């Protein structure tokens, strides 16, 4: 069983393993492309949404005037990059990641149409407090200790082994 000092040292050494991802809070306008709205018309509508958002207009008002419901509604609150990628797709996640607070993306093509994203807030990733992750730290420390023990055992076997190469059957 590792001591608290050993666990704290392990956390310091493996801090990135335990870091929680940052989160973003987004506003968006989704403009659907389909039989009722061809690509070019949808794109022009997304550009109009972009202009209005960059002018400071309320995102809900722009969405109401120009947008369509998302196929999968965006949950309220802050989202991790993985959640944004899962809900909006990789292009939208990349666009969201590149935005500064208050900035609005150019229209981004999604599977269902065009998205215009505005970043309301970005929360940096953080390492949880030691007491919050003590059990996870212990489990990871034990797993890493087991891996080290196996690696050391295999190294000892290799060091003490004698390798004999035999000629194939029938070779002189």
């Amino acid at each position: 069983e590792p001591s608290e000092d050993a666990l704290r040292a392990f956390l310091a050494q493996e801090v990135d393993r335990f870091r929680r991802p940052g989160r973003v809070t987004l506003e968006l306008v989704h403009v659907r492309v389909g039989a009722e709205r061809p690509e070019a018309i949808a794109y022009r509508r997304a550009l109009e949404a972009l202009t209005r958002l960059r002018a400071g207009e309320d995102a809900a008002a722009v969405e109401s005037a120009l947008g369509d419901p998302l196929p999968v509604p965006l949950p309220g609150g802050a989202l991790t990059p993985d959640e944004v990628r899962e809900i909006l797709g990789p292009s939208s996640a990349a666009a969201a990641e590149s935005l500064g607070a208050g900035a609005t993306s150019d229209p981004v093509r999604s599977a269902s149409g065009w998205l215009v994203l505005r970043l309301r807030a970005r929360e940096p990733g953080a390492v949880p407090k030691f007491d919050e992750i003590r059990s996870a730290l212990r489990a990871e420390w034990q797993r890493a200790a087991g891996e080290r023990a196996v690696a050391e055992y295999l190294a000892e076997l290799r060091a003490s082994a004698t390798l004999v190469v035999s000629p194939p059957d029938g070779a002189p």
Side-chain angles (χ1 to χ4, degrees), residues 38-144:
E39 185 82 31
I41 292 171
Y43 183 71
R44 282 196 300 272
R45 197 171 180 135
L47 287 174
E48 183 180 345
L50 169 66
T51 300
R52 290 171 66 171
L53 288 171
R54 285 192 175 157
E57 195 169 330
D58 179 66
V62 176
E63 180 181 14
S64 176
L66 299 170
D68 301 298
L70 282 168
V72 176
L74 195 63
L79 304 170
T80 67
D82 286 343
E83 291 168 330
V84 174
R85 189 174 304 102
E86 185 176 309
I87 296 166
L88 300 178
S91 297
S92 296
E97 192 61 32
S98 72
L99 294 173
T104 303
S105 73
D106 289 335
V108 178
R109 188 62 166 95
S110 72
S112 61
W114 291 95
L115 294 170
V116 180
L117 311 170
R118 181 160 58 191
L119 182 67
R120 285 187 43 218
R122 181 181 304 279
E123 301 168 18
V127 178
K129 293 179 180 163
F130 179 82
D131 289 335
E132 292 175 14
I133 60 170
R134 182 187 305 267
S135 63
L137 276 168
R138 182 177 294 111
E140 283 298 306
W141 184 93
Q142 289 170 333
R143 185 193 59 72

Side-chain angles (χ1 to χ4, degrees), residues 15-60:
V15 68
D16 287 337
R17 184 186 300 195
F18 297 96
R19 185 179 311 280
R20 292 185 179 146
R23 299 169 75 81
V24 295
T25 303
L26 297 170
E27 298 172 318
L28 63 84
V29 176
H30 169 249
V31 181
R32 187 175 45 248
V33 172
E36 76 288 345
R37 188 179 302 127
E39 185 82 31
I41 292 171
Y43 183 71
R44 282 196 300 272
R45 197 171 180 135
L47 287 174
E48 183 180 345
L50 169 66
T51 300
R52 290 171 66 171
L53 288 171
R54 285 192 175 157
E57 195 169 330
D58 179 66

